[in-house]
Amino acid sequence: MKTYHCVCGQLIFFENVVCIKCGRGLGFLPDQLCLSSLEFSNNNDGTFLPTAREAGGRLYKKCRNYEHQAVCNWMIPAEKTNQNFCTSCRLDAIIPDLSIEKNHGLWQLIENSKRRLVYSLLSLNLPVRNKADDPKTGMSFRFLAEPPNSKIRVFTGHDEGVITLNISEADDSEREKMRLSMKEPYRTLLGHFRHEVGHYYWDRLVAGTKYLEPYRALFGDERADYNEALAKYYETGASLNWQHNYVSVYSTAHPWEDWAETWAHYLHIQDTLEVALDFGLIEQHLSLAPQQEAKNTFGPRQRKFEEVIDAWSNLTVALNSINRSMGLRDIYPFVLSRPVIEKLRFVATVIAGTDIT
């Protein structure tokens, strides 16, 4: 995730909707992966002229969830007259019940995290297709709540491209209760999104491809009974030395979960290192994508994967130490063993679409 500047020179950030210095409105252009200040066009039709040079003088309109719900700040090219929702919001199949007052605030938090996810997917040139346009291989999101005084439970998960999120995960106090009860060192909305979308991309990028057998060699055989494996995991937990081969305890439950957890951590690394590079916190020469291919993002075609891991290890030690100095938990409470690093390398290879070497 990069930082950006308003046309007035003020530093602006991904979720911002207005520049605090000059008061200009802001909008994110997903087709250009940039946040821009906006000027009203001369057409008097609700379209805007982004000031960012990446826009190239093209006109844009606001996503309906930006204009009417204030839960988005993404834009749509004005020529797409049949589209009222942006690339991220078009993925929504079910949104929270807005007749319940608190749900609007939870929805805003959910959409903020989902847009960060979609930014990462777009920056990695991964296909981002919604179910309306591509019912067979697209993805969609359902944001559901458990009815009060009901035994019905909403479980966060993935099923054939449909990702369900219990909206209580957007409530800090509820999520912290769950984190403690599950004995998890880390639990966030963004982490949920990155994990669940990992399942989706396993279906798209690994199943039935040249990567399936190398995947099984690293992660295990996904044909093992999933429900049985989960039941065993919740009954007995992980082995004492699980850290030698897995990035998290939950990774040990089943090869699918190992992939999804590793995928999520790859996106953690992708996004955080991009910010660190943008702020000059890591060496400027470190680039994970050749200059001629890129959108200046951390992608999988790096010169040396070890450089990436070294940079990540050094950065997380510093960030964890900073958090401790403020009396907070470690920002990245995980250890990357050599087998885990090889799994991360495999994720990078699959995303790049390159051969296993």
Side-chain angles (χ1 to χ4, degrees), residues 27-166:
F28 185 80
L29 317 180
D31 57 333
Q32 302 299 325
L33 291 181
C34 74
L35 181 66
S36 176
S37 45
L38 305 171
E39 304 286 0
F40 285 104
S41 74
N42 295 323
N43 296 348
N44 197 30
D45 59 355
T47 59
F48 296 84
L49 180 65
T51 61
R53 60 178 177 80
E54 291 90 338
R58 193 181 187 188
L59 295 179
Y60 288 77
K61 58 185 179 179
K62 289 183 176 181
C63 172
R64 180 174 289 180
N65 283 338
Y66 186 178
E67 192 168 21
H68 298 292
Q69 297 292 347
V71 297
C72 182
N73 67 343
W74 282 25
M75 308 295 288
I76 307 165
E79 65 267 22
K80 295 187 176 182
T81 56
N82 63 332
Q83 289 187 17
N84 295 313
F85 294 97
C86 70
T87 302
S88 178
C89 291
R90 281 170 60 82
L91 298 172
D92 293 350
I94 300 176
I95 65 171
D97 180 358
L98 299 183
S99 68
I100 300 174
E101 185 177 358
K102 71 173 185 177
N103 282 358
H104 191 279
L106 297 178
W107 184 34
Q108 184 176 42
L109 294 172
I110 290 168
E111 291 295 342
N112 285 348
S113 290
K114 180 162 67 68
R115 286 196 303 277
R116 282 188 172 265
L117 168 74
V118 175
Y119 170 94
S120 294
L121 301 179
L122 293 173
S123 72
L124 290 169
N125 294 316
L126 287 164
V128 179
R129 304 187 184 105
N130 61 71
K131 283 285 189 184
D133 293 338
D134 187 350
K136 185 176 180 180
T137 64
M139 67 173 132
S140 66
F141 292 85
R142 306 188 309 161
F143 306 132
L144 305 178
E146 295 174 354
N149 304 316
S150 171
K151 293 183 179 180
I152 296 175
R153 293 291 174 259
V154 173
F155 295 101
T156 296
H158 166 268
D159 183 23
E160 296 185 354
V162 178
I163 295 171
T164 300
L165 180 80
N166 188 325

Side-chain angles (χ1 to χ4, degrees), residues 110-296:
I110 290 168
E111 291 295 342
N112 285 348
S113 290
K114 180 162 67 68
R115 286 196 303 277
R116 282 188 172 265
L117 168 74
V118 175
Y119 170 94
S120 294
L121 301 179
L122 293 173
S123 72
L124 290 169
N125 294 316
L126 287 164
V128 179
R129 304 187 184 105
N130 61 71
K131 283 285 189 184
D133 293 338
D134 187 350
K136 185 176 180 180
T137 64
M139 67 173 132
S140 66
F141 292 85
R142 306 188 309 161
F143 306 132
L144 305 178
E146 295 174 354
N149 304 316
S150 171
K151 293 183 179 180
I152 296 175
R153 293 291 174 259
V154 173
F155 295 101
T156 296
H158 166 268
D159 183 23
E160 296 185 354
V162 178
I163 295 171
T164 300
L165 180 80
N166 188 325
I167 66 171
S168 66
E169 292 288 350
D171 184 316
D172 289 344
S173 62
E174 292 299 318
R175 189 176 61 256
E176 181 64 7
K177 288 178 185 177
M178 183 63 71
R179 188 189 71 81
L180 292 173
S181 69
M182 300 290 288
K183 299 181 180 179
E184 297 173 337
Y186 169 92
R187 190 182 183 96
T188 67
L189 267 178
L190 186 53
H192 278 311
F193 278 125
R194 287 172 173 167
H195 174 98
E196 299 304 339
V197 86
H199 289 298
Y200 168 78
Y201 282 106
W202 189 92
D203 290 342
R204 302 279 76 80
L205 304 178
V206 178
T209 73
K210 63 184 179 181
Y211 297 116
L212 183 56
E213 289 307 320
Y215 159 82
R216 287 172 178 167
L218 275 174
F219 295 85
D221 193 334
E222 83 290 349
R223 291 170 294 188
D225 188 276
Y226 181 73
N227 292 328
E228 183 179 314
L230 281 189
K232 181 179 178 181
Y233 168 76
Y234 285 118
E235 180 182 351
T236 65
S239 63
L240 292 178
N241 61 349
W242 64 265
Q243 296 96 329
H244 295 171
N245 294 291
Y246 300 93
V247 72
S248 69
V249 173
Y250 192 51
S251 297
T252 68
H254 187 274
W256 278 335
E257 299 304 341
D258 192 10
W259 162 270
E261 286 285 271
T262 306
W263 173 281
H265 280 257
Y266 182 82
L267 294 189
H268 294 335
I269 294 170
Q270 154 88 17
D271 205 356
T272 309
L273 283 183
E274 187 179 50
V275 174
L277 182 66
D278 211 38
F279 275 99
L281 299 178
I282 57 176
E283 294 295 331
Q284 292 295 316
H285 78 274
L286 179 64
S287 177
L288 306 196
Q291 291 297 316
Q292 67 269 21
E293 292 185 6
K295 300 173 180 175
N296 283 328

